[in-house]
Amino acid sequence: MSLETPAAAPVEPGPRPAPASRGSGRARTVGWWLVAGTALVYAPMAFEYMFRFVGDGPRLWQRAYEAVVGETQAAGVGSVHTEQAGTYADLRWLLLGHTAVGALALAIAVFQITARSRATPGLHRTLGRVQVGMVVVSMSGALAYLAAAGPSDTFDGPPFFAQLVVLAGGTLAATLLGWLAMRRRWLASHRTLMLLAFALLCTAPALRVEYLVLGLAWPDVTQEVVNLAGGAVLGVLAPIAAMVGAGPVRVPRASASAPAVPEALLRVAVPLLVTGLAAVAVGHLLVGLDVDRVTLTTLVALAVGLTVVAVQARAARQGGDPRLAAEWDVHLVAACAVPAVVAVLWLAYAPLMTTHEALGAALLTGPALPLATAVVLVAWTRRPVRAAVEVSAAGR
């Protein structure tokens, strides 16, 4: 089964994407400023966060967190501040490199994805190389920290450990793939992959926002619960945010492939979704687990994500852009596959940890795997295909 087919037109550029409605354009602008503002506010907090284990500092994040949710949840039993103090102190140099360099990479990335940055190619290329280098250092530091700490000494144990490994590895992979795409002059692919990398980088500030929102909504729980629930939401919504940000993109019809999702696969997408949900529900019943807040937040996030993907797919079809419609079909199939992937991962994790931990690890890692893979597949189909052009030209 192929996910792409060469376009037939030999030279003519593909149709420009249909212009967004005024409301849609305004929503994108507001969404962008919210994301950029959150990232830029969080960056200095992340930069100085680990310096408390080296010397005194302003403790920007900790003070802001305590001011919103109170000292009990922010610094009491069950908080990162208390539960991870020893591990953070022992591995402070690895974490310091990760947080400080990662904060700078995030700040650069906010500028890099803007049209103003791309309007100055020289500066864009220079900052891009710096950003890639910083992401490599930051994510390598994160993976080294996780290897040194292990699942038992990671906040929230094996479930969050599994998500952090997937997140660090995914951010590193998306960034390096984006860099390789740029080296090959695959501009549309490069932009798509770097938007995925940016969305994954933004999970750090987005999770802190969730600490504040969920902490206020659930004052009776510890940060451990808030952290897992917030991570579950981001596992679904971060790749979908990258999908929305990555399209529409004008891709020359003569030199690019187009995704082709078989009708049979589209027809089984909804049954796959229902089957996956049923498998997770049966798993809860068989092992006697209650539907906890992490499961509920995952289901809510998946419902929101599926709605976004379905609306975008329908709008692409109505807009008369077959390429964009085909791309959203890829995302739709991936979104429908999420519960099934969660069920399979739950079984895979079960021999390695407790049943409840295995479920948590599956909920935190399962959604991101098919959704992020769909973004990478779409990026691949946006690359130039010189062979298709040469064959079409030779046939004239």
Side-chain angles (χ1 to χ4, degrees):
M1 178 179 63
S2 175
L3 280 172
E4 57 184 72
T5 55
V11 178
E12 299 84 356
R16 294 183 181 273
S21 67
R22 184 172 300 178
S24 173
R26 188 180 297 114
R28 279 176 173 270
T29 300
V30 171
W32 157 247
W33 281 110
L34 284 174
V35 171
T38 302
L40 292 175
V41 167
Y42 174 72
M45 295 180 176
F47 184 83
E48 66 89 31
Y49 181 75
M50 291 304 300
F51 280 97
R52 64 192 175 97
F53 292 103
V54 180
D56 197 16
R59 303 191 180 190
L60 296 172
W61 164 248
Q62 194 63 30
R63 292 186 178 183
Y65 191 21
E66 291 176 6
V68 175
V69 303
E71 189 174 352
T72 300
Q73 190 176 106
V77 175
S79 69
V80 171
H81 191 83
T82 300
E83 304 300 327
Q84 294 299 112
T87 306
Y88 279 10
D90 293 341
L91 301 174
R92 60 187 177 276
W93 294 110
L94 286 175
L95 272 181
L96 183 60
H98 165 63
T99 57
V101 177
L104 293 174
L106 178 61
I108 292 173
V110 171
F111 174 70
Q112 281 293 92
I113 65 173
T114 63
R116 179 165 296 184
S117 170
R118 296 192 300 277
T120 52
L123 179 61
H124 185 79
R125 283 193 296 269
T126 299
L127 287 179
R129 295 187 186 104
V130 172
Q131 179 188 333
V132 169
M134 285 183 168
V135 169
V136 170
V137 171
S138 178
M139 296 306 124
S140 298
L143 291 170
Y145 165 80
L146 292 168
S152 60
D153 283 334
T154 300
F155 188 56
D156 268 322
F160 197 49
F161 175 87
Q163 185 177 50
L164 290 177
V165 170
V166 170
L167 176 60
T171 305
L172 182 60
T175 300
L176 291 177
L177 287 173
W179 173 72
L180 287 173
M182 189 68 253
R183 296 275 296 176
R184 290 175 174 265
R185 305 298 296 170
W186 298 352
L187 301 186
S189 300
H190 165 74
R191 178 163 168 74
T192 304
L193 290 164
M194 295 309 288
L195 280 166
L196 175 60
F198 178 68
L200 296 179
L201 282 173
C202 283
T203 56
L207 184 59
R208 271 60 185 189
V209 172
E210 289 184 304
Y211 284 175
L212 304 181
V213 174
L214 296 179
L216 288 173
W218 300 338
D220 57 321
V221 303
T222 66
Q223 189 185 353
E224 290 172 313
V225 176
V226 169
N227 182 65
L228 284 179
V233 170
L234 292 176
V236 177
L237 297 186
I240 290 177
M243 297 175 189
V244 174
V249 172
R250 187 186 183 198
V251 181
R253 203 183 330 171
S255 60
S257 56
V261 181
E263 285 293 328
L265 189 57
L266 286 173
R267 283 196 296 270
V268 302
V270 173
L272 178 63
L273 172 66
V274 174
T275 302
L277 290 172
V280 174
V282 169
H284 275 77
L285 292 174
L286 289 177
V287 300
L289 288 178
D290 294 328
V291 179
D292 59 12
R293 297 179 201 243
V294 179
T295 304
L296 286 174
T297 51
T298 304
L299 290 173
V300 171
L302 180 58
V304 172
L306 278 167
T307 301
V308 170
V309 173
V311 167
Q312 292 287 339
R314 182 180 180 184
R317 290 190 188 92
Q318 292 177 341
D321 188 339
R323 163 177 285 279
L324 192 59
E327 290 177 350
W328 278 106
D329 284 343
V330 174
H331 297 317
L332 185 60
V333 171
C336 289
V338 164
V341 174
V342 169
V344 170
L345 286 178
W346 190 0
L347 291 174
Y349 289 137
L352 307 176
M353 54 193 82
T354 69
T355 300
H356 193 265
E357 288 173 341
L359 172 61
L363 290 171
L364 266 66
T365 60
L369 294 178
L371 294 173
T373 299
V375 179
V376 174
L377 288 174
V378 166
W380 174 252
T381 64
R382 287 178 169 184
R383 77 196 189 285
V385 182
R386 296 181 184 278
V389 180
E390 293 167 359
V391 170
S392 298
R396 282 193 165 190

